[in-house]
Amino acid sequence: STQFYKWLNHLMSLHVQTKPSNCSPDWETKVLEYFKEKLKDNEAASWVPSLNDVPVHYLKANSLVKFRCFIQDMFDPEFYMGVYETVDPSSKSKVLRSGKYKDVAECGHQVDLNTKNAVTLERQTFYCVPIPGESPWVKEISFSYSCSNPARVVPSTSYAPCRHKRSYEEDEDMETQPHKQKEQLGTTDIHGSGDPKRLETEAPSSLSNAASGCSSPLDLNFPLPGEKGPACLVKVYEEWELFKVNDILEVYGILSVDPVLSVISEDKDSSLVDPMDCTESVEEQRVHCPPASLVPRLHMLYAHRLQHNNPLLPPAASEGQSSSGFLNDVVSVRGELLGYLTHVLLGDALAAEYLILHLISTVYARRDVLPLGKFTLNLSGCPHNSTYTEQLYRVIQQLIPSSFRLGMSLHNMNNLRLVPRKDYTANRLLSGVLQLAPNTSLFLDETQLEQGQLDSTGVRNITALGNLISWQKVDYDFNYHQMEFPCNINVLIASEGKSLLPCDCHVRLQPQLAPPNLEQYISTIQVSLSPSLLNKFRIYLSLLRTLDYSISEEVTKAVEDDFVEMRKDDPQSISAEDLHRLLVVARLLSLSVGHTTLSRDRWMRAKHLETLRTNRTEQQKCVNGNEP
Amino acid sequence: MPPKDYFAEKEKCKKFLQEFYTEDESGKKVFKYGAQLVSLAHREQVALHLDLDDVAEEDPELVESICENTKRYVGLFADAVHELLPEYRQKEVVAKDSLDVYIEHRLMMEERSRDPSDMRDRRNQYPAELMRRFELYFRPPSTAKPRVLRDVRAESIGQLVTVRGIVTRATEVKPMMAVATYTCDQCGAETYQPIQSPSFMPLIMCPSQECVTNKSGGRLYLQTRGSKFVKFQELRIQEHSDQVPVGHIPRSMTIYARGENTRVAQPGDHVAVCGVFLPLLRTGFRQAVQGLLSDTYLEAHCITLLNKTEDDELGAQELSEEELRQITEENFYEKLAGSIAPEIYGHEDVKKALLLLLVGGVQQAPKGMKIRGNINICLMGDPGVAKSQLLCYIDRLAPRSQYTTGRGSSGVGLTAAVMRDPLTGEMTLEGGALVLADLGVCCIDEFDKMADADRTAIHEVMEQQTISIAKAGIMTSLNARCSILAAANPAYGRYNPRKSVEQNIQLPAALLSRFDLLWLIQDRPDPDADLRLAQHITYVHQHCRQPPTHFTPIDMKLMRRYIALCQRRQPVVPESLANYITAAYVEMRKEARVNKDTTFTSARTLLSILRLSTALARLRLVDTVEKEDVNEAMRLMEMSKDSLQADKSSSTRTQRPADVIFSLVRELASEGVAGRGRGGAGGVVRLADAEQRCVSRGFTPAQFQAALDEYEELNVWQINQARTRITFV
């Protein structure tokens, strides 16, 4: 594999520099095909360094890298010279070159712009950021995958880029011994290295550091506050229609960090660049041509849409061999998980049951406006003014690949930008908290809400949350109009009383025990969980989402009769909405034990669960009297 | 392909300009471009728009080449016009501005220096751009469809393309240098530099013969008055939201507008722009750095403002025969109604009413009095009967609509607010939801949750269709010609059968009477309906799609276009029907008096019937209202009343339809006796009359026939052979 990566990189550089004149036209597609074939092999793919794990300045320019990312924005298409001609100044000989997969023409050649041989082509730029809300464990595991043998799954505890960097730099064929020693020096003092090659790759970063010192720092436009990681401009050469905003991708491409790209954006006021010489405004250029060291360019060779970002599962989680094996002990894992969650939910088994259903729910189909399969859970009765909700979120974060906790405090509601908005001066989509990848868990903490005044932003934010929950869509604000973006976000609301937001299912938490120190109690439960079991939980929750599900004709008939029967006795007891919910509960319940069809037993069990739940709410009504 | 002979092409252009003519009604030749050339020559016109449709009539091949290589042909045509202009000058032209004077002067200079011995330096010759005062634009051929922004690709570079979009940014109009004129400080010679790109490198050394031979090193100075400037504006347009595939970000494009095309559009306008798609030439350092990339822009030739409704009308015109047939086939009324919110099961009559709301009745304005044509509907019902979903759907289906909830809107938010502009301190009016929904639908959810004071604010809108404002020194009245679709919960959250209808609704009669139709959607157990509902829901869950119905729902866009088509009809009620409607109304009043009707039957009810029947006529795309329409309108009224009172009837003895029909017919018979005063002959009713009476009460003709047969068997009445008369035994 080492050999493979070396060879791959070599081939890449070859490809970048090839002259299309001396090879057949389908040469390029053949090479790409070959790459894709090779990269499908997990082993080979794991040798490609990942932008997620390795800081940009440790990577070689023009080498093959991969990036697990989230499409935040799409820019306008870019027109570039697919084929251009250069003139050697000394010999005056003309050479045709390919302009694909690079940003800047080779130095030392004069580009002949007026030749007839030049071909203008088009490519699309995506602005990609790391997957928002990705849990730390995902990063750790995928990192350990990429630097160790993929067969071994050991969540590494420390995040050490230097160790990793050496591991692949050793593979460089031109690497020499003295160089390596300097390299080690370089890791301790990055700027102190005198190595020419180092300097070359370091240059943009130090340059930009100096630049960012004097100008305002670049807003990398992450959807969630406090996110870190590289943002990337991914240049797509073919089939860009297949990708959508908010998709998560794994991109394999050629890294481009040419410092020249940064110069354009930084020397704004110098005489070198005339602002009139460009159709873009200053703000726009800041966004569209950020310094390459901060926002590297990635020329896409190959990418696949990820259905999930759980590193413990194979990326294409259709009915793989591993998953079918796992399905056998699904029931036992479910039992363990139920026990674990029951402990976390202070001994409330019913709430734990519903929490499992919620965690494996996903929008599996959409009929016109109606999203099917969503299961928003409202967990009421959470103690106010305690860290319990935070602890609960920690537990969920440990289980789910990506999640975010939004404290619904008045300040947050009035100040956060939840809905993405188009900024026409900079010509980009300003991200908002609700711009999330599919299957992200959004944990709304309503216990933080206090009495007070919501301003117009606050009202809009609450409406957006309501829309998200009821229709699984977010209306992005394009100033002149709104655009509907369907999404698939699991919303869990933790509240004291019933939430002010709509929800599919409301469960009143009934703690069976009251530990004196909540924090300590939860952390003991978490510590006592073995890592292998934790990984099983993670696989369980991600895998079950991908299963197909059907209802047989016979059961359908039974369900219909049941409904009519129930209505006959007491029309108030069940409405169309209740039936919808009941069917979703039955579906999730069947899936949670690995069944892909609905059986009568499961239907009865679902009904039983719902009765238990509604009884509990009724009781609460009697106690409180005024709760709606 | 042999290189084109552009000289010959230019001759073609000239020929076209000179010889193209159209014939007017009297058969006289009208030289369209010849006339324009005259006014161009006299400086009365600046822009010459060449319609490519006209060119296509003469030479279709030329049009093709123009569209492929537009920039070149602009030059050719401009040259042609330039050469032709002196021929078209008929009188002495008065100089309009200093540049005209300059040009005249320069021409004279040239005249004088026509000395073969004194050949002017080529570079000192006047560039053609400097001497021209006209602008030449192409208007796209009508065969060229406007393209979606994302379809304009690299292949389109250099071509004439038409795109549509919304303007998101417009810079101020600035002068842009087209030709720079310099004078030399040594020899005084003028030098000209035509400028193509946004930036240029100024000339420094004088290139004139004199300076070069003398090596005097004359410096050039830029002469602002002698240079030619054009108006220049940069626009940015963005795709319409309906052209963007789901999950993609709208694309945008830069547009350069020069000369007469500037100041046409403002941010927020919907425009169609025809222009040449060109790469931007870079110079200097940027070219070196970004040599591989090129920015592109569209050089505007023709910018047309579209507003959204016009856009929709265009769509309606394209309604093909095929589509029309698809819609207007048998029982299209049911089909159209069923296509409204197909995911919501049942409620056929409500959907029919909503369909009529979308189409709207005909507005009448006899002698300044205005009678609205818009139909207002109020949906009442238990929670969870998909009222909000219906509203949502209508909001999405209507081309223009506003959706608000009663809880979230105040009276001011609905009508209009007077605001003080923070910058200028002036008072401005800001329209609320009802004003914004002018000529559309305003959906108000949670109508009952609105404060009473706020609710009265919309009384005026519902009948007069205007909003009058008298505050802060502003007195005006704004148009709010919108239909109101309201949804409300019964007073106690759920319909309480033990309470009376009034107590359940708890809305003032003044408001209720303004609604044409008031539906109460109740959640009542009914085994059949429940089973069908359950089947529907389980099917959706089982197969992730709609159950197969006897029809496929009509596509939303097609519906929108069809409705727009319907709205262009202005059907009238014929004289012959007037009596029929009057009689029906009198009947209703009478009944209301007997029943102590809760939904106040007033003159407004009559208007409602008229509105509904005109809407029905519109739906059939005809120009006169027919009896069927009136019957259906009355049936809907009756059903809506029924929905309110059904509860009462169920509490008492349920009457079979046949019994009711019988009593209706008997009533009709006794009326006939009283009216005609012919004793003894009583008990004879014309069958057609009886059927009409029954249909207007919400019975189907089938039910009527069944009742006829049933009572004939009982020997209560007899029907003659031709089935035209009913005789009571």
Side-chain angles (χ1 to χ4, degrees):
Chain A
S1 297
T2 353
Q3 284 299 314
F4 171 69
Y5 181 62
K6 220 190 306 174
W7 171 83
L8 210 60
N9 250 345
H10 178 64
L11 201 66
M12 226 44 259
S13 54
L14 250 183
H15 179 239
V16 167
Q17 279 150 24
T18 12
K19 312 149 179 73
S21 53
N22 54 14
C23 54
S24 64
D26 59 339
W27 182 83
E28 191 183 301
T29 50
K30 271 187 189 154
V31 171
L32 277 182
E33 276 309 306
Y34 187 72
F35 270 132
K36 284 177 194 169
E37 212 43 56
K38 279 282 166 198
L39 288 173
K40 275 193 187 129
D41 182 11
N42 256 334
E43 184 96 359
S46 71
W47 283 103
V48 180
S50 164
L51 264 180
N52 297 83
D53 307 326
V54 190
V56 180
H57 54 270
Y58 285 104
L59 289 168
K60 235 182 103 189
N62 296 329
S63 66
L64 184 71
V65 294
K66 67 179 173 191
F67 187 34
R68 191 174 67 250
C69 59
F70 167 83
I71 304 180
Q72 192 269 322
D73 195 0
M74 291 169 163
F75 293 155
D76 288 329
E78 224 170 47
F79 295 92
Y80 68 102
M81 298 233 237
V83 178
Y84 64 100
E85 204 168 41
T86 54
V87 187
D88 196 314
S90 51
S91 63
K92 297 277 174 229
S93 63
K94 289 188 173 180
V95 179
L96 280 181
R97 284 167 194 279
S98 162
K100 264 193 168 182
Y101 309 117
K102 60 177 126 187
D103 289 303
V104 190
E106 277 90 6
C107 312
H109 302 286
Q110 189 99 46
V111 177
D112 184 7
L113 286 171
N114 301 322
T115 170
K116 282 210 167 60
N117 295 322
V119 180
T120 307
L121 292 175
E122 190 187 6
R123 67 185 174 207
Q124 178 72 44
T125 309
F126 293 159
Y127 186 81
C128 294
V129 295
I131 297 168
E134 197 172 56
S135 305
W137 64 268
V138 176
K139 292 191 172 116
E140 271 167 33
I141 292 177
S142 58
F143 170 65
S144 63
Y145 262 136
S146 63
C147 63
S148 65
N149 193 327
R152 249 181 333 136
V153 183
V154 186
S156 92
T157 42
S158 69
Y159 179 68
C162 54
R163 190 192 68 189
H164 176 76
K165 183 207 63 164
R166 277 237 311 287
S167 72
Y168 89 85
E169 285 254 306
E170 273 164 38
D171 307 328
E172 297 283 12
D173 49 351
M174 60 259 260
E175 201 82 53
T176 52
Q177 205 51 36
H179 182 98
K180 208 166 184 176
Q181 278 165 359
K182 274 189 185 158
E183 204 71 63
Q184 264 161 342
L185 272 172
T187 55
T188 49
D189 177 20
I190 292 171
H191 302 289
S193 166
D195 184 78
K197 181 174 159 266
R198 270 243 65 83
L199 264 182
E200 192 183 73
T201 50
E202 284 294 327
S205 93
S206 51
L207 201 134
S208 77
N209 283 347
S212 59
C214 54
S215 68
S216 63
L218 195 72
D219 175 17
L220 287 180
N221 211 4
F222 292 125
L224 301 178
E227 289 262 301
K228 281 202 290 283
C232 204
L233 284 171
V234 177
K235 312 268 176 177
V236 189
Y237 286 84
E238 53 196 353
E239 294 184 323
W240 50 75
E241 302 90 354
L242 296 183
F243 302 108
K244 290 177 181 168
V245 171
N246 303 352
D247 275 350
I248 50 177
L249 307 174
E250 185 154 58
V251 180
Y252 290 87
I254 298 162
L255 184 73
S256 163
V257 284
D258 203 303
V260 172
L261 291 169
S262 324
V263 174
I264 302 167
S265 57
E266 278 158 23
D267 292 348
K268 191 68 55 217
D269 29 32
S270 78
S271 55
L272 282 173
V273 179
D274 179 6
M276 260 306 278
D277 197 11
C278 184
T279 59
E280 293 173 332
S281 66
V282 179
E283 293 88 352
E284 226 175 314
Q285 278 188 36
R286 268 178 76 89
V287 169
H288 289 247
C289 317
S293 52
L294 284 179
V295 183
R297 317 308 195 242
L298 193 60
H299 296 270
M300 184 197 280
L301 292 175
Y302 163 68
H304 55 253
R305 278 249 274 296
L306 297 175
Q307 287 181 334
H308 61 83
N309 56 332
N310 189 340
L312 298 166
L313 279 179
S318 47
E319 304 291 317
Q321 319 86 322
S322 57
S323 63
S324 61
F326 184 83
L327 281 177
N328 293 334
D329 55 318
V330 135
V331 180
S332 71
V333 175
R334 182 191 146 93
E336 295 272 0
L337 182 59
L338 185 65
Y340 174 62
L341 288 179
T342 310
H343 281 299
V344 171
L345 292 170
L346 307 172
D348 188 342
L350 183 70
E353 186 93 39
Y354 272 100
L355 188 56
I356 293 180
L357 299 188
H358 164 75
L359 290 178
I360 61 168
S361 72
T362 178
V363 177
Y364 63 92
R366 214 172 258 280
R367 171 60 218 174
D368 222 15
V369 284
L370 198 72
L372 293 174
K374 67 169 177 113
F375 194 65
T376 307
L377 187 64
N378 176 13
L379 218 52
S380 71
C382 295
H384 186 55
N385 279 339
S386 81
T387 52
Y388 180 70
T389 48
E390 203 181 324
Q391 300 292 329
L392 183 61
Y393 172 67
R394 290 265 166 74
V395 170
I396 291 171
Q397 197 181 23
Q398 276 287 305
L399 298 171
I400 291 288
S402 38
S403 58
F404 179 67
R405 171 170 172 259
L406 178 63
M408 284 178 66
S409 63
L410 266 186
H411 179 263
N412 270 352
M413 284 295 107
N414 282 339
N415 293 296
L416 273 183
R417 185 174 57 229
L418 290 191
V419 175
R421 184 170 64 81
K422 180 87 177 183
D423 174 3
Y424 283 107
T425 34
N427 195 17
R428 69 163 164 184
L429 188 69
L430 288 177
S431 193
V433 172
L434 294 187
Q435 193 181 15
L436 294 174
N439 284 331
T440 305
S441 275
L442 182 65
F443 186 94
L444 294 177
D445 190 350
E446 211 183 277
T447 59
Q448 296 201 351
L449 196 62
E450 63 270 22
Q451 283 193 1
Q453 175 97 44
L454 274 182
D455 60 19
S456 57
T457 326
V459 172
R460 234 172 294 144
N461 280 341
I462 297 279
T463 322
L465 283 176
N467 274 342
L468 169 73
I469 293 168
S470 329
W471 310 110
Q472 285 289 332
K473 60 156 191 178
V474 181
D475 288 320
Y476 290 14
D477 183 4
F478 278 84
N479 196 359
Y480 303 99
H481 55 93
Q482 303 207 317
M483 266 185 68
E484 213 171 88
F485 281 79
C487 56
N488 186 1
I489 300 173
N490 276 6
V491 187
L492 177 64
I493 310 166
S495 60
E496 227 178 324
K498 190 178 182 303
S499 168
L500 63 94
L501 295 166
C503 63
D504 296 319
C505 180
H506 170 212
V507 180
R508 178 89 203 167
L509 197 63
Q510 279 182 348
Q512 304 297 312
L513 31 110
N517 188 342
L518 260 175
E519 217 158 308
Q520 205 184 346
Y521 169 77
I522 301 243
S523 59
T524 343
I525 301 173
Q526 272 181 290
V527 167
S528 59
L529 192 66
S530 76
S532 66
L533 191 58
L534 185 62
N535 278 341
K536 272 191 182 165
F537 289 168
R538 290 165 179 169
I539 295 174
Y540 172 83
L541 291 176
S542 297
L543 184 67
L544 290 183
R545 273 191 180 150
T546 61
L547 293 184
D548 283 329
Y549 171 79
S550 63
I551 310 175
S552 69
E553 289 298 329
E554 186 191 348
V555 178
T556 310
K557 189 86 194 55
V559 168
E560 284 161 12
D561 293 343
D562 221 10
F563 178 72
V564 175
E565 204 58 38
M566 280 189 279
R567 294 269 301 177
K568 212 182 263 171
D569 296 344
D570 178 11
Q572 309 291 304
S573 67
I574 186 163
S575 67
E577 232 155 275
D578 293 326
L579 180 62
H580 264 294
R581 179 172 50 236
L582 210 48
L583 280 165
V584 173
V585 170
R587 169 196 155 87
L588 295 172
L589 209 53
S590 306
L591 286 179
S592 74
V593 288
H595 291 187
T596 53
T597 52
L598 179 65
S599 66
R600 279 205 87 123
D601 290 354
R602 287 289 135 206
W603 172 249
M604 294 321 279
R605 170 101 184 104
K607 267 173 67 179
H608 177 64
L609 266 186
E610 279 290 276
T611 325
L612 283 180
R613 186 182 65 84
T614 37
N615 283 350
R616 205 182 255 200
T617 334
E618 291 292 320
Q619 269 174 26
Q620 196 58 36
K621 242 186 229 171
C622 298
V623 174
N624 278 8
N626 57 353
E627 197 174 329
Chain B
M1 199 180 84
K4 264 214 175 103
D5 181 3
Y6 284 114
F7 189 74
E9 293 288 304
K10 192 165 102 185
E11 288 307 312
K12 266 195 209 169
C13 302
K14 255 190 190 172
K15 194 165 154 256
F16 168 77
L17 287 170
Q18 282 173 307
E19 293 177 6
F20 180 80
Y21 65 88
T22 49
E23 280 180 13
D24 63 1
E25 303 87 43
S26 54
K28 252 176 76 181
K29 285 180 180 175
V30 177
F31 287 89
K32 190 173 168 186
Y33 296 106
Q36 291 194 58
L37 284 176
V38 174
S39 45
L40 279 183
H42 296 135
R43 296 272 292 116
E44 284 156 356
Q45 186 181 348
V46 178
L48 176 65
H49 286 278
L50 267 176
D51 212 327
L52 289 187
D53 278 335
D54 296 339
V55 183
E57 268 177 46
E58 298 278 307
D59 189 353
E61 239 172 76
L62 187 61
V63 175
E64 222 165 88
S65 350
I66 288 175
C67 290
E68 290 294 318
N69 193 1
T70 317
K71 196 81 182 161
R72 164 81 75 164
Y73 278 88
V74 171
L76 287 178
F77 266 102
D79 284 345
V81 172
H82 190 60
E83 283 166 29
L84 287 175
L85 274 191
E87 297 173 24
Y88 281 87
R89 186 183 292 200
Q90 291 159 349
K91 57 173 190 256
E92 201 56 36
V93 181
V94 190
K96 271 200 171 163
D97 52 20
S98 56
L99 198 56
D100 281 336
V101 180
Y102 263 86
I103 290 172
E104 208 177 321
H105 185 72
R106 280 168 189 152
L107 281 175
M108 266 158 61
M109 287 275 286
E110 201 175 38
E111 204 75 29
R112 219 176 295 161
S113 61
R114 273 268 164 81
D115 189 16
S117 63
D118 182 25
M119 266 304 287
R120 278 180 69 90
D121 183 4
R122 264 188 65 82
R123 270 164 299 183
N124 278 26
Q125 265 171 11
Y126 304 121
E129 290 92 336
L130 186 65
M131 312 303 285
R132 282 178 199 158
R133 295 310 307 271
F134 61 89
E135 291 160 18
L136 191 125
Y137 300 111
F138 289 124
R139 196 167 280 155
S142 48
T143 48
K145 283 262 160 63
R147 281 211 252 178
V148 180
L149 223 51
R150 58 182 65 231
D151 288 345
V152 178
R153 294 285 184 82
E155 308 92 78
S156 315
I157 287 181
Q159 294 179 1
L160 193 72
V161 291
T162 311
V163 291
R164 276 196 201 169
I166 179 169
V167 180
T168 59
R169 197 166 69 191
T171 61
E172 282 169 41
V173 178
K174 292 176 194 155
M176 191 189 207
M177 198 176 265
V179 181
T181 306
Y182 305 88
T183 38
C184 175
D185 62 348
Q186 294 289 326
C187 64
E190 277 190 340
T191 307
Y192 311 99
Q193 184 189 16
I195 291 158
Q196 306 285 352
S197 60
S199 61
F200 69 102
M201 176 64 84
L203 302 175
I204 297 169
M205 301 305 287
C206 179
S208 74
Q209 197 69 40
E210 206 177 319
C211 281
V212 172
T213 41
N214 292 353
K215 289 213 172 72
S216 56
R219 293 272 163 174
L220 290 177
Y221 288 94
L222 192 63
Q223 207 191 349
T224 327
R225 278 174 63 115
S227 304
K228 185 186 172 187
F229 293 89
V230 291
K231 288 184 275 185
F232 175 79
Q233 188 180 28
E234 193 187 311
L235 300 171
R236 174 64 66 89
I237 63 166
Q238 184 184 274
E239 278 176 302
H240 285 313
S241 49
D242 53 338
Q243 293 169 339
V244 187
V246 177
H248 285 253
I249 300 281
R251 295 265 175 87
S252 57
M253 185 184 269
T254 308
I255 288 173
Y256 284 174
R258 289 172 215 266
E260 296 301 291
N261 278 327
T262 53
R263 273 188 256 265
V264 175
Q266 281 178 330
D269 287 342
H270 292 269
V271 289
V273 184
C274 165
V276 199
F277 190 52
L278 290 172
L280 187 69
L281 289 178
R282 286 182 198 281
T283 49
F285 176 68
R286 185 170 280 277
Q287 184 192 349
V289 170
Q290 267 186 325
L292 292 182
L293 283 184
S294 54
D295 280 343
T296 50
Y297 67 96
L298 193 72
E299 175 138 329
H301 269 252
C302 175
I303 300 179
T304 1
L305 282 183
L306 313 163
N307 50 40
K308 199 71 176 147
T309 48
E310 249 175 19
D311 198 24
D312 287 346
E313 260 173 46
L314 279 177
Q317 277 168 359
E318 288 156 20
L319 208 67
S320 63
E321 288 292 308
E322 165 68 22
E323 286 167 325
L324 257 180
R325 204 168 41 82
Q326 188 198 336
I327 292 177
T328 51
E329 66 190 7
E330 222 179 322
N331 60 35
F332 74 104
Y333 176 48
E334 280 77 17
K335 198 169 153 183
L336 276 172
S339 305
I340 291 181
E343 73 271 10
I344 298 166
Y345 175 76
H347 303 312
E348 282 86 2
D349 279 332
V350 179
K351 287 182 183 178
K352 279 178 187 169
L354 292 179
L355 178 66
L356 296 183
L357 172 133
L358 283 172
V359 174
V362 178
Q363 180 184 323
Q364 259 119 10
K367 299 189 189 94
M369 189 179 76
K370 217 159 77 179
I371 300 171
R372 74 181 152 97
N374 293 321
I375 296 167
N376 299 326
I377 294 179
C378 181
L379 302 178
M380 282 239 159
D382 294 341
V385 286
K387 294 185 303 293
S388 300
Q389 260 154 301
L390 280 172
L391 253 65
C392 262
Y393 193 89
I394 295 295
D395 177 47
R396 287 196 305 153
L397 183 61
R400 193 165 182 174
S401 68
Q402 287 290 318
Y403 182 94
T404 61
T405 65
R407 226 193 303 222
S409 34
S410 63
V412 173
L414 280 175
T415 56
V418 181
M419 313 272 278
R420 188 182 288 278
D421 192 302
L423 273 178
T424 58
E426 279 174 39
M427 291 292 197
T428 53
L429 271 180
E430 211 148 283
L434 291 168
V435 178
L436 292 179
D438 187 25
L439 295 176
V441 184
C442 185
C443 303
I444 308 174
D445 206 351
E446 319 255 5
F447 197 56
D448 52 320
K449 313 275 191 308
M450 251 167 105
D452 280 338
D454 296 332
R455 222 184 280 146
T456 46
I458 68 169
H459 279 194
E460 186 196 350
V461 180
M462 290 183 71
E463 211 52 62
Q464 269 68 48
Q465 305 268 294
T466 53
I467 288 170
S468 306
I469 307 248
K471 43 182 146 181
I474 295 181
M475 265 174 250
T476 181
S477 129
L478 301 172
N479 269 330
R481 293 157 292 181
C482 61
S483 305
I484 289 174
L485 175 60
N489 284 99
Y492 307 99
R494 208 169 243 289
Y495 194 87
N496 190 341
R498 276 173 222 98
K499 296 257 163 60
S500 71
V501 183
E502 291 97 328
Q503 280 171 320
N504 267 311
I505 301 176
Q506 269 198 0
L507 287 176
L511 196 59
L512 281 184
S513 70
R514 283 173 161 86
F515 283 108
D516 296 288
L517 290 171
L518 181 72
W519 291 96
L520 180 71
I521 310 175
Q522 269 197 67
D523 190 16
R524 266 194 307 250
D526 168 8
D528 285 343
D530 288 346
L531 182 63
R532 269 180 295 162
L533 180 66
Q535 276 168 349
H536 184 85
I537 293 173
T538 48
Y539 192 93
V540 169
H541 278 262
Q542 195 180 355
H543 302 283
C544 311
R545 61 188 162 83
Q546 288 305 297
T549 37
H550 51 282
F551 71 94
T552 43
I554 296 166
D555 175 59
M556 228 187 201
K557 273 187 194 145
L558 185 62
M559 274 234 337
R560 235 176 258 151
R561 282 159 58 198
Y562 184 73
I563 288 170
L565 190 70
C566 292
Q567 280 170 345
R568 278 190 266 160
R569 298 274 170 171
Q570 300 289 337
V572 290
V573 180
E575 200 68 43
S576 54
L577 268 181
N579 283 334
Y580 179 65
I581 297 172
T582 330
Y585 173 64
V586 170
E587 185 63 27
M588 282 171 100
R589 287 283 283 189
K590 207 192 286 169
E591 197 173 308
R593 236 174 292 143
V594 175
N595 284 7
K596 293 202 180 64
D597 202 342
T598 46
T599 52
F600 192 60
T601 313
S602 68
R604 283 199 171 120
T605 322
L606 179 59
L607 290 176
S608 299
I609 292 176
L610 285 173
R611 269 193 284 274
L612 288 172
S613 22
T614 44
L616 277 160
R618 270 182 169 184
L619 205 56
R620 292 189 292 119
L621 294 175
V622 292
D623 286 325
T624 46
V625 175
E626 282 169 28
K627 213 171 204 170
E628 300 302 306
D629 300 326
V630 182
N631 283 341
E632 171 64 16
M634 287 203 282
R635 192 189 67 83
L636 278 177
M637 295 285 290
E638 203 63 33
M639 293 315 282
S640 90
K641 247 178 233 165
D642 249 27
S643 76
L644 286 171
Q645 283 160 349
D647 223 63
K648 275 187 179 165
S649 61
S650 67
S651 62
T652 61
R653 191 176 61 89
T654 42
Q655 280 185 300
R656 290 189 312 122
D659 299 338
V660 185
I661 290 171
F662 173 71
S663 59
L664 278 174
V665 177
R666 200 176 49 190
E667 206 177 298
L668 195 67
S670 58
E671 260 173 45
V673 173
R676 266 172 256 140
R678 263 191 270 154
V684 180
V685 180
R686 281 185 50 224
L687 194 131
D689 289 346
E691 183 166 1
Q692 248 170 43
R693 172 70 65 95
C694 297
V695 168
S696 70
R697 290 300 170 81
F699 294 106
T700 59
Q703 277 172 330
F704 176 72
Q705 289 301 337
L708 275 189
D709 295 343
E710 195 181 326
Y711 278 85
E712 192 177 17
E713 247 164 64
L714 292 172
N715 255 337
V716 177
W717 59 42
Q718 280 176 342
I719 297 162
N720 66 343
Q721 210 63 33
R723 289 187 83 83
T724 53
R725 207 175 299 140
I726 306 170
T727 319
F728 279 86
V729 177

